[in-house]
Amino acid sequence: FTQCRFEDNRGCAVVADSGNTADVSFADCVFVGTDNWAVWPRKPGFSFDRCTFVGSLVRVYGDADPSRATRFTECRFTDDPKLSPTGRLHLRKSKGSLIASENVLFDRCTFTMIGEGILPRSEAAIYRDCRMKQASSKIATPRGTYEGRNIIEAKADLGFSAILGPTFVNGEKIPLRSRAQAQKLKDAREKSKRNNTAAIDGSHSSSLEHLV
């Protein structure tokens, strides 16, 4: 698809979540989520080049094989209602991760949230040479791997992201962290969660024994 506009649909502007759909490319297209998600690309091999997304995206396909994971190159993401044909936009309200799978790539993309829009909530995405800006005071969690030079102007929590290149959050340079170091921190967090859960379960069992 080249130089196409997907907007004001009854539902998502574009959705792929069934059948054997794969390897679809979009170039210089515009996606507007007026009353639902702008894109729902939950199928392998989707690529977007120099596209504009107005509204929110969800269910972005990730894969252990980078060639099958969704790729966004030189794309623009915004919540500017002036770019909607109706002046309305569907913005995400769920706290769930929109990009949980690995190797989803944002390469030289810009995110400009001027209203209530929030930067992507991700866990294992790759951000390479991106610029992000968010006006909302809500905490954004664009986590994953940062490559190249990235600039973020937002109330953002990068968690245990891998920081492989110069990355700035509100002017502060984030210390570098390898993928191995990031994974070690994540593993420690999961182990702590399991230990806490076991301790709570043990406490409940002890309390029940006293009641018998």
Side-chain angles (χ1 to χ4, degrees), residues 9 13 17 24 30 46 57-58 75 79 84 98 158 162 166 173 182-184 187 193 199 203:
N9 288 347
D17 201 351
V24 181
V30 178
F46 271 61
L57 64 159
V58 70
C75 290
D79 65 345
S84 168
L98 303 183
L158 304 189
K173 188 174 183 179
Q183 189 59 52
K184 186 175 181 180
D187 291 343
K193 286 182 179 179
S203 176

Side-chain angles (χ1 to χ4, degrees), residues 131-148:
R131 297 183 67 94
M132 307 181 190
K133 189 172 184 177
Q134 175 184 301
S136 172
S137 60
K138 294 180 180 178
I139 298 177
T141 54
R143 299 171 179 172
T145 298
Y146 283 81
E147 301 178 350

Side-chain angles (χ1 to χ4, degrees), residues 10-69:
R10 188 176 295 277
C12 302
V14 167
V15 60
D17 201 351
S18 62
N20 58 358
T21 303
D23 303 319
V24 181
S25 62
F26 299 84
D28 303 298
C29 294
V30 178
F31 307 84
V32 184
T34 49
D35 67 355
N36 212 307
W37 308 101
V39 289
W40 180 314
R42 195 165 173 256
K43 282 294 178 178
F46 271 61
S47 64
F48 301 86
D49 294 271
R50 301 176 305 280
C51 293
T52 297
F53 300 85
V54 187
S56 298
L57 64 159
V58 70
R59 301 294 184 185
V60 182
Y61 185 86
D63 198 285
D65 179 354
S67 68
R68 288 169 54 83

Side-chain angles (χ1 to χ4, degrees), residues 64-83:
D65 179 354
S67 68
R68 288 169 54 83
T70 308
R71 303 186 304 279
F72 300 91
T73 304
E74 294 184 339
C75 290
R76 174 192 180 197
F77 301 84
T78 182
D79 65 345
D80 188 347
K82 293 180 181 178
L83 299 180

